[in-house]
Amino acid sequence: MKKLVVCLLAVLLMANAALAMADGLTFSWWGGDARHEATQAAVDAFKAATGTEVTCTYSAWSGWEDKMSQYFASDSAFDVNQVNWNWLFSFTNADGSSKFYDINEVADVIDLSQFNEKALAQCTVDGKLLAVPVSMTGRIFYWNKTTFEKAGLETPKTLADLMAAGPIFAEKLGDECYPLALGSYDKMILMVHYLECKYGKDWVVDGQLNYSLEEVEEGLAFIQSLEDAHVIPSAQTLTGDGADSLDKNPKWMEGKYAGIWEWDSSASKFEAALNEGQEFIVGDYFTDIGEYQGGFTKVSMALCIANTAADKKLAASLIEFLLNSEEGARLMNSQRGIPLSAKANALCQAEGLLNARVAEANAKVMAWCQNALDPQFEAAALKNSDGVYADAMEGLSYGDYSIEEAAEVLVEGITEVLEAA
């Protein structure tokens, strides 16, 4: 019965894709309302300029990756797809065959000279450019300045400031108030940042974890110290809040959670979620963790052409319009982060179209982060809500694991994924 359901699903997906292709191009992406509106406006402009029909499919992130996996697995993906960087590796086989078309084959349509080599290299697998990078991103602190002021504090400039703020928040604002809130994946990225600041080495090198069990234990002890000092709420507290994501959490909206550790490209939705009268600011990296500038940057998202696209040059023309044309850049502005396209970036800066908060954060991220990101860091078996990171971080927070046990879960789980890649 399960096999029958899978087969029927594949047939339906392929039928839907075929019907959409009969009308022109198909295009899929995920995001929030602001991104949806901007992208749809840019697609409409492309349709008006070229006479090409474009059928758009989009949604919020929740459940999107699983849905797209089904499309790619059944060879019924949309012609043009917004993709996460790690998907380029997840959907490419050991023999080099991929679900994505080599963009180098349509370089006469897409002006690749507008994108820096480092970003293009991140989207290249086995010599094939599998997607066009839209923007680069990294993690940085954001603070609710208003809440810190209520506690009689400035926003943290050092790790020592942050650690000291925890007890003060509890005393002056109440036990429900915390200087920072972190989900399991946030904790993982912050832990790696902490270790890279201390030791200066990449998390993974040549497909192998580059940190010892003892060093991972040190990183987890740091995460646990944040909870012990009332800097972050426990996993149980966050679960009890009943929100799917932090930007939808009433405690964030009300300012009871006064800080986040987030992608610079995600700032807008967190700021927009705050209740009126609260000041949201970009933080700084802490220089008192270690002597290195730890942390990584990555292609935040990219646009690819599916290998199954009927007209790959037409699909390429849509990407060129969205990312490199004046009209596309003007309409898309910074809804997918600060544009990597030199043309688009220059136009958006000249016309004041960039989100000032995102631009400030992105500049700090790009100037600070020095470490490389391994493609498997975001593998579903590690990153998903039922993955290794959540198992270790939630197990530690709930008290199901000691620091030593949580470290073993992380090291063994990560090693297994790396060896299987």
Side-chain angles (χ1 to χ4, degrees), residues 111-290:
D111 183 3
L112 297 175
S113 69
Q114 299 301 318
F115 303 89
N116 70 63
E117 290 299 325
K118 181 179 179 181
L120 291 174
Q122 281 199 13
C123 294
T124 300
V125 182
D126 295 329
K128 297 177 181 178
L129 180 62
L130 299 184
V132 183
V134 178
S135 56
M136 296 286 287
T137 189
R139 290 274 178 145
I140 193 168
F141 291 110
Y142 293 91
W143 307 113
N144 185 329
K145 186 179 178 183
T146 305
T147 301
F148 275 89
E149 288 176 345
K150 288 179 181 177
L153 298 170
E154 294 184 355
T155 54
K157 301 296 187 294
T158 64
L159 178 58
D161 290 343
L162 179 62
M163 298 300 291
I168 295 173
F169 264 60
E171 177 187 352
K172 294 191 174 182
L173 303 180
D175 288 339
E176 281 193 325
C177 298
Y178 293 84
L180 182 65
L182 302 172
S184 294
Y185 189 48
D186 306 326
K187 290 178 180 178
M188 184 65 197
I189 299 178
L190 183 58
M191 187 195 81
V192 171
H193 170 84
Y194 173 85
L195 290 173
E196 288 177 346
C197 284
K198 287 202 71 174
Y199 294 103
K201 55 185 182 179
D202 294 336
W203 180 241
V204 169
V205 174
D206 296 331
Q208 293 187 323
L209 184 62
N210 199 31
Y211 283 78
S212 67
L213 180 63
E214 291 73 23
E215 289 167 338
V216 174
E217 289 173 2
E218 184 181 354
L220 286 168
F222 160 66
I223 295 298
Q224 186 60 45
S225 74
L226 297 176
E227 189 172 321
D228 293 342
H230 197 83
V231 172
I232 61 172
S234 68
Q236 184 175 9
T237 298
L238 283 175
T239 300
D241 292 341
D244 291 338
S245 58
L246 191 55
D247 60 300
K248 297 177 182 177
N249 192 313
K251 291 180 182 176
W252 168 257
M253 298 174 185
E254 297 164 7
K256 291 180 179 178
Y257 296 158
I260 53 174
W261 168 251
E262 255 299 339
W263 302 113
D264 60 72
S265 54
S266 298
S268 301
K269 68 178 182 181
F270 286 93
E271 183 173 14
L274 288 173
N275 293 346
E276 191 174 348
Q278 300 180 78
E279 186 177 356
F280 179 78
I281 66 170
V282 181
D284 296 300
Y285 290 102
F286 297 154
T287 57
D288 59 338
I289 295 176

Side-chain angles (χ1 to χ4, degrees), residues 355-399:
N355 180 296
R357 200 85 64 221
V358 175
E360 178 189 356
N362 185 258
K364 289 183 176 181
V365 166
M366 300 307 290
W368 176 272
C369 298
Q370 301 298 316
N371 290 99
L373 173 64
D374 178 73
Q376 298 306 317
F377 188 86
E378 296 182 319
L382 299 177
K383 178 186 174 183
N384 283 4
S385 58
D386 59 351
V388 172
Y389 300 154
D391 183 14
M393 294 299 179
E394 292 177 12
L396 179 62
S397 182
Y398 275 96

Side-chain angles (χ1 to χ4, degrees), residues 66 97 105 119 130 151 170 271 278 297 311 317 323 343 355 375 379 402:
D66 290 338
S97 61
E105 298 296 324
L130 299 184
E271 183 173 14
Q278 300 180 78
T297 57
D311 191 334
S317 69
L323 301 187
K343 277 184 183 177
N355 180 296
S402 66

Side-chain angles (χ1 to χ4, degrees), residues 20-27 46 50 52-56 78-80 305 309-319:
M21 282 193 293
D23 294 328
L25 290 174
T26 57
F27 178 26
F46 173 79
T50 65
T52 303
E53 282 299 317
V54 183
T55 302
C56 297
F78 302 91
D79 297 325
V80 177
I305 299 171
D311 191 334
K312 296 178 177 63
K313 283 191 177 292
L314 187 60
S317 69
L318 174 59
I319 294 176

